[in-house]
Amino acid sequence: MRFAVVVHGPPFTHQASLSAWHFSRAVLAAGHRLQRVFFYHDGVHNASSFARPPQDEPDMAGNWSALAAEHDVELVVCIASALRRGILDEGEAARYRQPAANLASGFSISGLGQLIDAALNADRIVTFAP
Amino acid sequence: MPASILVFSARAPHGSGLPQEALDAVLMASAFVQTRLVFIRDGVYQVLRDQDPTLLGTKDVAAGFGALPHYGVHELLVCRSSLQARGIDESLLLEGLTPVSAEDIRVLLGQPDQQVLTF
């Protein structure tokens, strides 16, 4: 089956992002296709390379980046949600004259159309929210 | 490819960004396929009349509901069970909403060729 996963929860504050990551790994381990992970609402915080959790806590940006690299999974961050919350790639950082970009590796910023595209092209779309 | 998308909006207004983001998703979805919006659980608070969020200095998300028919979203549904559980009489709702029963929602969920998004 083709799955899409939607993440509404930020790292640490809620379990949603960790559950989404475990679910994503399980989908792939079971031999299904994970078409896209779409980060919306507070889920965009998963994409921040500025987050520095303690060593004994999950590094969600790192976890997602590793998943993307290992399994060639698309990690898409909604631009509107990201801008509101201060998650910027190089292009947006330049556009808004911010001192730095913080989009973690493996993530890309795109539009809400990517969520709808995922909903229309996956067999199952599963949302993880606080 | 699904022929329609069903969006549930389940959070109370003003205190959460999800209602605005749910509306944005509905508008985007309507550009692709037939889209229905259902207010459930605390989401029914979004469609109470006579709210004034400008007093908070925050955006009035409900002001965007009026644009939905122009995007082809003609079905704005509100869950009767959720209203009753919260003691909200249907006379207190914005215009243009259709109250539906839990059974109606179950029927909607059972429609073939439909994808569901929840906010």
Side-chain angles (χ1 to χ4, degrees), chain B residues 7-18:
Chain B
V7 177
F8 286 109
S9 193
R11 311 290 177 125
H14 318 315
S16 165
L18 269 171

Side-chain angles (χ1 to χ4, degrees), chain A residues 10-28:
Chain A
F12 180 70
T13 308
H14 289 287
Q15 190 181 7
S17 60
L18 192 56
S19 297
W21 180 71
H22 281 299
F23 180 82
S24 297
R25 294 173 72 226
V27 160
L28 292 162

Side-chain angles (χ1 to χ4, degrees), chain A:
Chain A
M1 277 211 286
R2 297 166 306 172
F3 280 85
V5 168
V6 185
V7 184
H8 288 174
F12 180 70
T13 308
H14 289 287
Q15 190 181 7
S17 60
L18 192 56
S19 297
W21 180 71
H22 281 299
F23 180 82
S24 297
R25 294 173 72 226
V27 160
L28 292 162
H32 299 290
R33 198 164 151 232
L34 182 54
Q35 293 201 289
R36 181 171 299 139
V37 183
F38 190 84
F39 297 87
Y40 197 41
H41 187 59
D42 282 345
V44 302
H45 287 295
N46 281 268
S48 175
S49 62
F50 284 167
R52 287 285 172 265
Q55 294 271 18
D56 59 346
E57 289 179 20
D59 168 16
M60 288 315 303
N63 285 343
W64 289 113
S65 295
L67 185 85
E70 192 183 342
H71 296 280
D72 194 27
V73 174
E74 227 191 351
L75 307 175
V76 179
V77 174
C78 172
I79 186 168
S81 295
L83 288 175
R84 280 190 175 102
R85 293 164 178 83
I87 309 296
L88 304 171
D89 63 10
E90 297 287 347
E92 296 308 313
R95 189 201 314 278
Y96 290 98
R97 294 194 174 77
Q98 292 302 303
N102 61 344
L103 193 71
S105 93
F107 290 86
S108 62
I109 288 191
S110 186
L112 198 44
Q114 292 291 299
L115 170 63
I116 304 307
D117 178 80
L120 294 177
N121 289 298
D123 298 309
R124 295 287 184 275
I125 183 162
V126 186
T127 302
F128 293 83

